[in-house]
Amino acid sequence: MNRSIGAINRYLYVVRNELRTMVCDGGVMLIMFGAIFIYSTLYSLVYRNEVVRAVPIAVIDYDGTAASRAFIRDLDASPNVVVAYEPTDMESARELFYCRDIYGVVVVPRDYSKSVSSGEQAVVSIYADASYFLMYKQLFSAAASAITYNNIKIESAKFMAAGMDRRSAVALADPVEVKTTKLYNRVEGYATFVMPAIMVLILQQTLLIGIGMMGGTMTEKGRWRCYVREGRRFSSSLVLIGKASAYLFFAATIGLLVYGIYYKLLGYPWRGNDFDTVLFMLPYLLSVIFLGLGISMSFRYRETAIVTLVAWSVPFLLLSGVSFPMEGMPSWLYSVGQILPSSSAITGYIRLNVMGASLGDVMPEYLWLWVLTIVYFCFAVLMIHLKFRRLDESVCCVDNKRNGDAEVKSLPATDAESESEPVL
């Protein structure tokens, strides 16, 4: 009974000590609490328009007929692009493009009207800036829509000239009507696509950096000795559980504020069940915390933790599947990405809250996060045990040095006593 009470008291001591140290450290609070709100707000402001509209382009009309001008009007009517310039030659359009005044050029050939009226195929050239995919997509989709619309008008006009009524002519010119239903991201917005994943990744990075800074500070200032003093020797697992409980409480509070309030205020999709989301995020937070605690044992200074973990932010982003689908990566990179909690968490979180899936639908990702939690728990226990063993060795060295100094100081008295004895 006394042992259980003693273990509970030591556990509570670790939790209080970690929370007190965390709250009193301004740098850690800025990273773990302020950074996630700063990043979330910044990304939301940047992506608030969701889609790129009114991309400036240039149109070179070599034909100059009513048919070509009608095509240009249809192209300009698209919300995605705006015909900002109508240069007379390609050289002028090239200068506009290199000056970044436009992001694409559409060229109407000289025989456009003649080819259309005679039933021949007219070739409209599109020069789009493929180095900027969002601009490229908008220009290409707007040009393709305008060309398709003009093709339908031309074909239906021919059928109507032959005596067919308008409805039948349009149906014959466009026999298959395509209806596109956008699932989950109805506005095809970039923010709706990237922000759910980014916010999960930001939570991981802020936790890792904050925990790493705490570990480096404790090593730098010798604060680990409060757990290994004689008569108050704490076990590695107890210290790990106590520290993890403090970080879990802090991370859960941040998660409640960010995902429960701030995330919804920003207007991002939330179609999942709250209870399922909480259950899913639990192993994710635990795995990140244990990973951070294990890594933090290797930092001697807080600056080392900041530099190292910030440098790893970009690889973590690439391996998370946010910037490029993980299924399109090389198989070995995909396997490396699976050891990061954020990879499975992003996949499951998007399916839960963007697609409206249930916890049973993301069970593979959920179970894998628990596997990572167990693995990183063992890793963290090992690292703390090694840390305590090094501290034990240093304490023993200090004690031996003190004992040696005491023996040296007592030598003169021993010599004096030996001089008073008779020499045989």
Side-chain angles (χ1 to χ4, degrees):
M1 184 68 179
N2 292 333
R3 293 183 60 183
S4 300
I5 295 176
I8 294 175
N9 290 334
R10 293 185 178 188
Y11 163 77
L12 294 176
Y13 171 79
V14 175
V15 174
R16 288 195 303 268
N17 182 56
E18 200 70 18
L19 286 174
R20 182 172 58 251
T21 306
M22 189 191 317
V23 173
C24 295
D25 194 322
V28 172
M29 289 297 294
L30 177 62
I31 293 294
M32 297 184 64
F33 189 80
I36 190 167
F37 289 99
I38 294 173
Y39 284 133
S40 301
T41 304
L42 180 62
Y43 279 115
S44 300
L45 292 176
V46 172
Y47 301 141
R48 64 179 300 177
N49 291 329
E50 290 280 4
V51 296
V52 179
R53 299 290 191 188
V55 177
I57 65 171
V59 177
I60 304 176
D61 185 7
Y62 286 123
D63 192 45
T65 61
S68 63
R69 289 193 293 270
F71 168 72
I72 295 173
R73 286 196 300 270
D74 293 336
L75 179 62
D76 191 44
S78 171
N80 296 333
V81 299
V82 56
V83 180
Y85 299 92
E86 294 189 36
T88 57
D89 52 33
M90 182 59 74
E91 187 62 30
S92 301
R94 186 180 292 110
E95 292 179 2
L96 291 171
F97 178 81
Y98 289 147
C99 293
R100 309 309 290 171
D101 292 329
I102 59 174
Y103 292 91
V105 181
V106 178
V107 180
V108 182
R110 298 183 185 277
D111 58 348
Y112 176 81
S113 179
K114 180 180 178 181
S115 299
V116 168
S117 60
S118 61
E120 298 178 0
Q121 187 178 45
V123 179
V124 176
S125 301
I126 302 172
Y127 299 87
D129 185 5
S131 64
Y132 201 159
F133 280 110
L134 293 178
M135 300 290 192
Y136 167 81
K137 173 181 176 294
Q138 299 301 76
L139 170 56
F140 188 81
S141 61
S145 299
I147 291 172
T148 302
Y149 179 66
N150 272 267
N151 288 339
I152 295 174
K153 288 198 303 182
I154 293 169
E155 290 297 320
S156 60
K158 291 180 180 179
F159 294 137
M160 291 172 63
M164 190 176 297
D165 62 279
R166 179 179 179 81
R167 182 175 181 180
S168 300
V170 172
L172 189 58
D174 187 22
V176 179
E177 182 180 2
V178 178
K179 287 187 177 181
T180 304
T181 302
K182 304 175 182 66
L183 301 177
Y184 314 123
N185 188 355
R186 296 181 179 179
V187 297
E188 295 183 294
Y190 191 76
T192 303
F193 154 68
V194 74
M195 280 305 297
I198 286 293
M199 294 183 76
V200 173
L201 187 62
I202 289 175
L203 183 59
Q204 172 181 281
Q205 291 308 107
T206 52
L207 279 175
L208 289 179
I209 296 174
I211 294 172
M213 290 173 62
M214 288 283 292
T217 302
M218 291 191 67
T219 302
E220 183 179 354
K221 297 185 177 181
R223 294 176 179 173
W224 285 103
R225 296 185 183 278
C226 67
Y227 299 132
V228 295
R229 289 182 296 179
E230 185 177 356
R232 296 186 62 188
R233 189 173 303 279
F234 293 7
S235 67
S236 302
S237 57
L238 187 144
V239 173
L240 175 62
I241 295 174
K243 293 170 75 69
S245 299
Y247 290 118
L248 181 61
F249 171 78
F250 198 80
T253 303
I254 296 175
L256 177 62
L257 294 175
V258 172
Y259 296 102
I261 301 175
Y262 193 70
Y263 184 87
K264 295 181 179 180
L265 290 177
L266 294 175
Y268 296 117
W270 186 278
R271 301 185 179 94
N273 181 272
D274 293 347
F275 184 70
D276 288 348
T277 303
V278 171
L279 289 179
F280 182 82
M281 295 299 287
L282 177 61
Y284 170 61
L285 294 177
L286 287 175
S287 59
V288 172
I289 291 170
F290 290 140
L291 174 61
L293 287 172
I295 294 175
S296 68
M297 298 300 107
S298 60
F299 298 132
R300 297 182 60 183
Y301 307 99
R302 63 188 285 131
E303 292 79 8
T304 307
I306 297 173
V307 173
T308 303
L309 293 172
V310 169
W312 277 100
S313 297
V314 174
F316 286 173
L317 173 64
L318 296 176
L319 294 174
S320 65
V322 177
S323 59
F324 192 79
M326 297 190 68
E327 293 76 10
M329 298 180 185
S331 57
W332 66 274
L333 271 181
Y334 179 86
S335 301
V336 172
Q338 293 304 303
I339 68 175
L340 300 175
S342 57
S343 299
S344 299
I346 288 173
T347 302
Y349 181 81
I350 290 176
R351 293 176 64 188
L352 278 173
N353 289 317
V354 178
M355 304 174 67
S358 64
L359 185 63
D361 297 324
V362 296
M363 192 56 64
E365 290 82 6
Y366 183 63
L367 294 178
W368 180 246
L369 286 174
W370 278 115
V371 172
L372 292 179
T373 299
I374 296 172
V375 171
Y376 289 138
F377 174 82
C378 297
F379 168 67
V381 168
L382 175 62
M383 295 298 291
I384 292 181
H385 177 73
L386 294 176
K387 170 72 73 174
F388 283 176
R389 191 169 69 176
R390 287 194 295 268
L391 290 175
D392 289 338
E393 292 174 355
S394 65
V395 170
C396 291
C397 291
V398 172
D399 291 342
N400 291 334
K401 184 178 179 180
R402 289 175 179 173
N403 294 333
D405 292 341
E407 292 176 0
V408 171
K409 291 179 180 178
S410 64
L411 281 178
T414 304
D415 292 341
E417 292 175 359
S418 62
E419 288 178 358
S420 62
E421 297 177 359
V423 180
L424 298 177

